[in-house]
Amino acid sequence: MSEDGNTSTFNISYTNFFLVGFPGLLEWRPFLVMPLTFLYVTIISANALVIHTVAAQRSLHQPMYVLIALLLAVNICAATVVMPKMLEGFVHYANPISLHGCLAQMFFIYFTLLLDYNLLLAMALDRYVAICHPLRYSDLMTSHLLGVLAFFTLTRSLGVAVPLVVLTSRARFCRTAVIRHFTCEYIALLSIACGDLTFNNHLGLAMRLATVSFDLALLGTSYTHIIYAAFRISSGGARAKALHTCGSHLLVILTIYLSGLSTSIVFRVAKTVSQDVQNLLSAIYLLLPGTLNPVIYGVRTREIRQHIEKMLCGKEIAREVREKPERLQNTRVKGKLPG
């Protein structure tokens, strides 16, 4: 038996693969490179703008805004894990990737997804304390608590991503070297693996169900208390502000969890759905948060929006102030010229 697996197809374990995402769009691939590149640049720029605004403005150095900035930083990392390889696949039909590269990409995909979920939990806790216990907010939301939340976020994210990668690395990939996906997702890799994969499938499903159920239970409980407390606020302005802020968080939560749910259902139930549709749902699931989150928080969060407007308009005003003396000088010079 040769180690490269040429003598027996049943003992082959490929260590190099080809990512073939969106096989039905072969003729359109060259035309999609520029729009996708623009999308990637937009995701990076929009998220970075909000992060810079939070970092630059001292008045925004509060737990809620810091958590928003961290969420958007995760969005940048998630897009960077997926988009460059995806764009490479649109340039080259067969996009080569090694097993180690594939496992690394899979790890960072699920690590960043879990960071998203955990940061949303931390933001729900922050809003719960701010609205339900406003007088104790500064005493409860301390730097020590934020450190504990950060440790919990990292530990829980690693606790889900690492077992999936370790289990996948032990599988044998003998069916084919072609992964009909634009990225190395867990289910895409299992689809080309051979042998008894019952434990892998059950573990992946159990982890997703446990994670989503736990998160939705906590989020549902938190925001039920938050909305109930918000409606009991006597001041109409304070009540509207509290509901508006929670509305932004709930919009982000719905975007992430509904897109993830639709992707899981299609992958595991709808076997007749084309590969292109499955890949499209995965792309929406992975990239939609990074596209919408800076818009939601940059537009709907008044404090962030005002600082962005001030920063952008301030540059425009400064330029006008610099250009005004030059225009006046040019006018005076023209007035002195003979007619």
Side-chain angles (χ1 to χ4, degrees):
M1 171 63 60
S2 63
E3 196 166 320
D4 60 6
N6 289 331
T7 60
S8 176
T9 58
F10 294 102
N11 289 295
I12 289 174
S13 185
Y14 292 105
T15 57
N16 291 285
F17 307 99
F18 295 97
L19 294 171
V20 181
F22 303 99
L25 300 177
L26 181 60
E27 297 179 356
W28 293 93
R29 286 170 177 270
F31 303 101
L32 294 174
V33 173
M34 287 305 297
L36 288 173
T37 303
F38 177 76
L39 175 64
Y40 180 48
V41 173
T42 301
I43 290 174
I44 300 297
S45 303
N47 284 279
L49 176 61
V50 178
I51 293 171
H52 171 73
T53 303
V54 173
Q57 302 298 327
R58 187 175 296 274
S59 61
L60 298 180
H61 292 179
Q62 301 174 32
M64 184 183 81
Y65 304 113
V66 172
L67 290 172
I68 289 174
L70 289 174
L71 182 67
L72 300 187
V74 172
N75 291 161
I76 292 177
C77 295
T80 302
V81 169
V82 174
M83 287 295 288
K85 202 65 181 172
M86 183 180 180
L87 287 170
E88 187 179 343
F90 276 91
V91 175
H92 309 289
Y93 176 71
N95 189 8
I97 188 170
S98 67
L99 175 60
H100 291 114
C102 211
L103 293 174
Q105 187 185 50
M106 188 178 77
F107 168 78
F108 284 109
I109 286 173
Y110 289 103
F111 181 67
T112 53
L113 283 176
L114 266 294
L115 285 178
D116 260 351
Y117 293 163
N118 294 330
L119 285 171
L120 290 175
L121 289 177
M123 293 164 77
L125 174 63
D126 173 76
R127 289 301 85 199
Y128 172 79
V129 175
I131 295 173
C132 298
H133 305 283
L135 299 180
R136 301 180 60 195
Y137 180 78
S138 57
D139 295 329
L140 294 174
M141 293 302 295
T142 60
S143 57
H144 175 71
L145 179 60
L146 290 177
V148 172
L149 290 175
F151 178 78
F152 168 77
T153 297
L154 292 173
T155 303
R156 185 168 178 250
S157 300
L158 290 171
V160 174
V162 170
L164 289 178
V165 173
V166 171
L167 273 177
T168 306
S169 68
R170 293 179 178 178
R172 289 191 306 113
F173 304 99
C174 61
R175 296 180 186 274
T176 177
V178 176
I179 301 174
R180 298 176 67 82
H181 205 285
F182 62 89
T183 189
C184 293
E185 283 202 69
Y186 183 66
I187 298 177
L189 273 173
L190 288 187
S191 67
I192 65 169
C194 51
D196 186 7
L197 301 173
T198 304
F199 180 73
N200 300 63
N201 286 317
H202 287 172
L203 179 67
L205 182 60
M207 280 189 167
R208 178 173 285 275
L209 289 176
T211 300
V212 173
S213 301
F214 176 76
D215 289 359
L216 290 180
L218 288 183
L219 291 170
T221 302
S222 299
Y223 282 103
T224 299
H225 284 86
I226 289 170
I227 293 172
Y228 178 73
F231 276 110
R232 295 180 61 188
I233 298 175
S234 57
S235 171
R239 180 170 60 250
K241 181 179 179 181
L243 291 174
H244 184 79
T245 302
C246 291
S248 299
H249 295 323
L250 288 173
L251 191 57
V252 171
I253 290 169
L254 287 174
T255 299
I256 292 176
Y257 283 93
L258 287 180
S259 59
L261 179 63
S262 62
T263 303
S264 295
I265 291 174
V266 168
F267 266 105
R268 295 183 181 275
V269 179
K271 301 297 184 181
T272 58
V273 176
S274 70
Q275 189 64 46
D276 288 338
V277 173
Q278 293 182 23
N279 288 345
L280 177 61
L281 289 174
S282 291
I284 292 173
Y285 175 47
L286 295 172
L287 301 176
L288 188 63
T291 306
L292 291 184
N293 287 355
V295 177
I296 293 172
Y297 288 120
V299 174
R300 288 181 57 87
T301 307
R302 182 172 59 86
E303 293 79 4
I304 294 177
R305 184 184 70 248
Q306 287 178 345
H307 283 295
I308 291 176
E309 291 174 349
K310 183 179 178 181
M311 182 173 59
L312 296 178
C313 294
K315 292 180 179 179
E316 192 69 28
I317 293 171
R319 185 166 65 249
E320 290 181 2
V321 170
R322 289 195 301 269
E323 292 176 353
K324 188 174 181 180
E326 296 178 2
R327 289 198 299 268
L328 289 174
Q329 184 66 27
N330 292 336
T331 302
R332 290 171 182 171
V333 171
K334 289 180 180 179
K336 292 179 181 181
L337 294 175

